């Protein structure tokens, strides 16, 4: 890897923290027993897995029995939505209504669309120009047949933090199950399943210094969703498959570390983030996207008019900067991100998006470097752009 590289894409994934790596290593070579084996060597792995579960529970203010390890955030989201639908079907409600938002991650959105094909009705709530969901709109959308509300805790593209505790109180008052995709929130902002009054919560290890391929679905007792994955009956019969012991141990170590460091690290990151936002929005025809108040500490996101996001990323890559753009054609479609369209940006502008997400390894020097390089690349691309009026230094759509 290029050692001059600045990694500023922590919302996409993070490096494994050294503590998490250290905690995991013995389980590959010495403590590799199967937790289901009856001999002591297997039972040691089982006991260490349960310690990891308890540590995760402590970080979320949950009980260990409410923590189920999964293969990641995507599986946890799928399980939450499909599991609630199946649970209700088992109770005789073969169809029903689900409330979610227009800005969810595809792990939720595509699962909701899948359930629509099965006969469920889904309300996709709009968000305001900052990407915030209105709790009153959630309440107004509740119907007698509503089986689930699913609202993400923080958005992965624009960093907006949602009013989860307010929505939790509404869900509870109406006795509707409430799921939150907290993949971007856990380890970055305080997360408390009691304060939030959530019934289900998804998280993913690699977003806060844990390993890839392991996540958690929190399930409030006595709620017991039917399994998504059938087999040998691990995880109390709810999520089969030989347990990923090193993964669970690494996730727990990384989460414990992230939560311990959260108050100091979030202040440090927010200062760097705000320096980036202040610096880059000095460019003309440039806007920060998402809420400036309710915001993940490490995420800065922008749109630059007259610039194409993918070209921006490639040129930043050439300068050693790893960042991300919501305009990436991830699904082979040329449409810009559903999130940027949902906050009301026109297609042409949504195409020029950039997300810079900072993490523990980023320094003020990194930010200063980006404050030099990003404007240089933006200006360079604008000079070449067919939609940039060079003479008047404005996008062609501005009269
Ligand atoms: N939900 C959100 C908000 C995310 O940002 C992500 C990952 O980008 C996921 C779910 C899926 O997590 P994973 O890819 O670890 O399964």
């Amino acid at each position: 890897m290029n050692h001059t590289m600045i990694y500023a894409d922590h919302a996409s994934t993070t490096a494994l923290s050294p503590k998490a790596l250290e905690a995991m290593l013995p389980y590959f070579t010495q403590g590799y027993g199967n937790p289901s084996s009856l001999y002591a060597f297997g039972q040691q792995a089982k006991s260490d897995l349960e310690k990891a579960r308890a540590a995760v529970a402590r970080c979320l203010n949950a009980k260990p029995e409410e923590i189920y390890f999964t293969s990641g955030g995507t599986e946890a989201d799928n399980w939450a939505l499909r599991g609630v639908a199946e649970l209700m079907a088992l109770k005789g409600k073969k169809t029903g209504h689900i409330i979610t938002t227009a800005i969810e991650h595809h792990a939720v959105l595509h699962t909701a669309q899948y359930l629509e094909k099965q006969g469920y009705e889904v309300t996709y709530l709009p968000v305001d120009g900052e990407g915030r969901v209105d709790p009153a709109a959630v309440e107004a959308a509740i119907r007698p047949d509503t089986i689930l509300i699913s609202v993400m805790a923080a958005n992965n593209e624009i960093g907006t933090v949602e009013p989860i505790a307010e929505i939790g109180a509404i869900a509870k008052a109406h006795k509707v199950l409430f799921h939150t995709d907290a993949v971007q929130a856990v380890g970055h902002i305080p997360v408390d399943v009691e304060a939030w009054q959530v019934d289900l919560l998804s998280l993913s290890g690699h977003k806060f210094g844990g390993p890839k391929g392991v996540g958690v679905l929190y399930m409030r007792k006595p709620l017991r969703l039917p399994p998504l994955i059938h087999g040998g009956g691990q995880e109390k019969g709810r999520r089969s498959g030989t347990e990923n012991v090193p993964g669970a141990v690494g996730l727990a170590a990384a989460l414990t570390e992230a939560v311990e460091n959260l108050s100091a690290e979030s202040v440090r990151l927010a200062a760097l983030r705000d320096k980036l936002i202040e610096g880059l929005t000095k460019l003309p025809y440039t806007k920060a996207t998402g809420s400036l108040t309710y915001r993940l500490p490490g995420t800065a996101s922008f749109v630059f008019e007259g610039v194409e996001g993918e070209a921006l990323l490639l040129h930043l890559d050439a300068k050693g900067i790893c960042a991300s753009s919501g305009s990436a054609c991830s699904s082979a479609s040329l449409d810009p991100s559903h999130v940027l369209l949902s906050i009301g940006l026109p297609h042409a502008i949504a195409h020029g998006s950039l997300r810079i997400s900072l993490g523990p390894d980023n320094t003020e020097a990194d930010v200063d470097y980006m404050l030099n390089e990003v404007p240089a690349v933006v200006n360079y691309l604008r000079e070449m752009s067919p939609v940039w009026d060079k003479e008047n230094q404005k996008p062609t759509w501005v009269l």
Side-chain angles (χ1 to χ4, degrees), residues 115-378:
L115 289 172
E116 275 186 291
K117 290 204 193 102
Q118 315 289 310
Y120 291 85
E121 264 187 78
V122 180
T123 298
Y124 299 94
L125 292 173
V127 292
D128 67 14
E130 299 187 339
R132 289 268 287 180
V133 178
D134 179 1
V138 175
E139 184 155 40
I142 295 174
R143 314 190 318 205
D145 63 340
T146 303
I147 58 169
L148 178 68
I149 298 167
S150 179
V151 176
M152 69 195 327
N155 183 267
N156 46 302
E157 289 187 35
I158 56 173
T160 297
V161 173
E162 301 296 343
I164 296 302
E166 286 92 322
I167 298 170
I170 289 166
K172 178 129 193 235
H174 291 267
K175 298 191 170 62
V176 179
L177 290 174
F178 180 34
H179 166 248
T180 187
D181 173 344
V183 168
Q184 292 291 338
V186 169
H188 301 281
I189 58 171
V191 172
D192 180 325
V193 295
E194 291 306 324
W196 282 5
Q197 302 194 62
V198 291
D199 300 294
L200 295 153
L201 177 147
S202 308
L203 64 91
S204 187
H206 69 108
K207 305 289 190 183
F208 49 78
K212 293 173 181 62
V214 60
V216 161
L217 181 63
Y218 156 82
M219 215 185 279
R220 177 181 295 277
K221 274 181 94 170
L223 176 63
R224 303 179 89 200
L225 297 187
L228 185 68
I229 298 192
H230 302 269
Q234 289 88 350
E235 298 286 295
K236 297 194 290 299
R238 319 237 139 236
R239 201 288 183 179
S240 288
T242 300
E243 297 89 337
N244 177 359
V245 180
V249 166
L251 183 152
L255 182 54
T256 303
E257 185 184 6
V259 167
E260 272 167 12
N261 295 342
L262 197 144
S263 46
E265 181 65 356
S266 60
V267 169
R268 187 187 79 88
L269 287 178
L272 296 180
R273 172 201 71 189
D274 291 343
K275 187 171 180 185
L276 268 173
I277 293 176
E278 208 188 296
L280 293 183
T281 50
K282 284 194 183 127
L283 279 163
Y285 299 100
T286 298
K287 252 200 341 232
T289 54
S291 167
L292 294 179
T293 314
Y294 305 102
R295 189 164 193 88
L296 287 173
T299 299
S301 57
F302 306 91
V303 281
F304 303 97
E305 293 191 41
V307 168
E308 217 285 304
E310 290 206 341
L312 183 55
L313 291 193
L314 292 175
H315 281 80
L316 291 177
D317 185 27
K319 306 270 186 192
I321 298 168
C322 301
S324 194
S325 170
S327 69
C329 311
S330 55
S331 55
S333 92
L334 287 171
D335 284 341
S337 128
H338 63 287
V339 176
L340 298 176
L341 296 180
S342 294
I343 59 172
L345 293 174
H347 274 241
I349 295 178
H351 271 296
S353 68
L354 178 71
R355 178 189 70 190
I356 297 174
S357 47
L358 305 170
D361 44 327
N362 289 125
T363 61
E364 183 138 23
D366 293 352
V367 168
D368 292 338
Y369 180 76
M370 290 190 276
L371 284 175
N372 269 319
E373 298 302 332
V374 175
V377 171
V378 167

